[in-house]
Amino acid sequence: MTCAVSASTERIRKINVLVPLFITVCACAVAFLAKQAVYQMVFTCLLFLLMAFWGFAKTGLKFLLVYAICEVWLRINLHFGIGFPSPMMFTFIIEFIPIMMPVYLAVQVPSGKLTAGLRQLPIPTKMMLTVIVILRFMPTILSEFSDVKDAMRTRGFLHSPSRVLLHPLATMEYVAVPMIFRSLKIADELASSCMVRGIESPYKKQGYYVNKMRWSDVLLISFFLAATVAFLVL
C-alpha cells in the first residue's frame, strides 16, 4: 500500500498543474451544456479512467458509484413521480460529480507547484491566491470534520442514528461550533504562513517546483478538448 501511495504521489507531482484545471473547465462545460445525459456519463467514465491512471482508482470508484446511484434513483423518481428525495438534489449531485473529479486531482498537486502553474496564467495575483486557498482549504476542512466526527462518536453523540434524527439541532450545534473555531484558527495560521513566505512582496517570486508542459500533458489536454467539443456539438 505504501508503494502504491508513493507511486501515485510521484505521478501527480510530475503532471502540469494546468492539465487538471483545464479538464475542470471541460467538465463544467459538459456537465451544464451537454444536450444528452449519456455524454455526461461517458465523460464521467473518462474522468474515472484518468483518476485510475494517476493512482486514485479507489477515490474515482467512489465518485463513479455515487454518480451511478444518483442517476438510477433520479430515473426511478421521474418514472414513478416520486417527489422525495427531491429530483433537483439528484440532478445537482450528478452535474457536480464530474466537476469534483478533476478538482480532486488538482488538490493533490503540491501547493508550491499549484502556485507555479497559476503564475503562468494571465490572472491577477489576488484571484490566483483565492483559487489556491480554496483548493487547499477543502481537504483541510474535510480532515477537521473527520476529527470532529470521531470526537462526537467517542463522547456518545453519534451512538445511534435515532439520536441524531431526534435531536437534529443539537447534533448540528455539536458539529458547527467546533468547526467554526477550527476554521478561524486555520485561517489565522494560513495568514501567518502567507506573510512569512512574503506573499505581500511586490517582487517576482521564485518557487521550488517547475511547471513544465510535457507531451503527455499536451495529449491529455487535446483529448479532453476534443471530447468536450464532440459532446457539445453532437
Side-chain angles (χ1 to χ4, degrees):
M1 183 174 179
T2 305
C3 295
V5 173
S6 301
S8 62
T9 303
E10 185 65 23
R11 191 174 298 172
I12 202 70
R13 285 175 181 270
K14 290 181 179 179
I15 68 169
N16 190 303
V17 71
L18 300 180
V19 175
L21 295 178
F22 178 82
I23 296 176
T24 302
V25 176
C26 294
C28 291
V30 174
F32 295 111
L33 301 177
K35 298 178 182 179
Q36 298 186 27
V38 65
Y39 297 148
Q40 188 185 86
M41 296 179 189
V42 174
F43 196 85
T44 305
C45 293
L46 293 175
L47 291 174
F48 165 71
L49 294 177
L50 180 65
M51 294 185 69
F53 174 75
W54 277 341
F56 300 97
K58 185 180 294 186
T59 305
L61 189 60
K62 292 179 181 178
F63 278 117
L64 204 61
L65 184 61
V66 173
Y67 182 91
I69 292 174
C70 291
E71 184 69 35
V72 172
W73 206 329
L74 176 62
R75 293 183 181 275
I76 293 175
N77 280 10
L78 295 178
H79 181 75
F80 294 101
I82 303 173
F84 183 83
S86 173
M88 185 178 296
M89 179 187 69
F90 290 118
T91 303
F92 176 78
I93 296 175
I94 290 171
E95 292 180 347
F96 197 61
I97 285 179
I99 301 173
M100 286 304 300
M101 294 173 77
V103 169
Y104 177 85
L105 294 174
V107 169
Q108 304 307 311
V109 178
S111 57
K113 188 165 187 177
L114 182 63
T115 305
L118 291 176
R119 281 176 182 162
Q120 296 175 349
L121 299 177
I123 58 177
T125 303
K126 293 183 178 180
M127 183 181 298
M128 178 189 69
L129 293 176
T130 302
V131 173
I132 295 173
V133 170
I134 291 174
L135 291 177
R136 304 307 300 178
F137 199 68
M138 287 190 296
T140 305
I141 289 297
L142 292 177
S143 177
E144 293 295 332
F145 178 75
S146 178
D147 294 341
V148 170
K149 186 172 64 174
D150 292 339
M152 292 176 62
R153 187 179 292 109
T154 302
R155 290 167 173 78
F157 295 132
L158 298 178
H159 184 68
S160 63
S162 59
R163 178 185 176 90
V164 177
L165 294 175
L166 292 175
H167 304 87
L169 295 180
T171 304
M172 188 178 300
E173 180 184 358
Y174 298 148
V175 175
V177 173
M179 286 298 298
I180 290 174
F181 281 98
R182 286 299 301 164
S183 299
L184 292 174
K185 188 174 186 301
I186 293 171
D188 290 338
E189 293 174 353
L190 182 62
S192 301
S193 176
C194 291
M195 292 180 63
V196 169
R197 298 184 183 189
I199 203 67
E200 297 178 343
S201 174
Y203 300 102
K204 183 178 180 180
K205 301 175 179 62
Q206 301 293 332
Y208 173 78
Y209 293 96
V210 178
N211 193 53
K212 294 183 179 180
M213 185 70 70
R214 302 177 300 169
W215 281 109
S216 57
D217 300 324
V218 175
L219 290 175
L220 278 175
I221 290 177
S222 302
F223 174 78
F224 277 95
L225 177 61
T228 302
V229 172
F231 292 154
L232 295 181
V233 172
L234 295 178

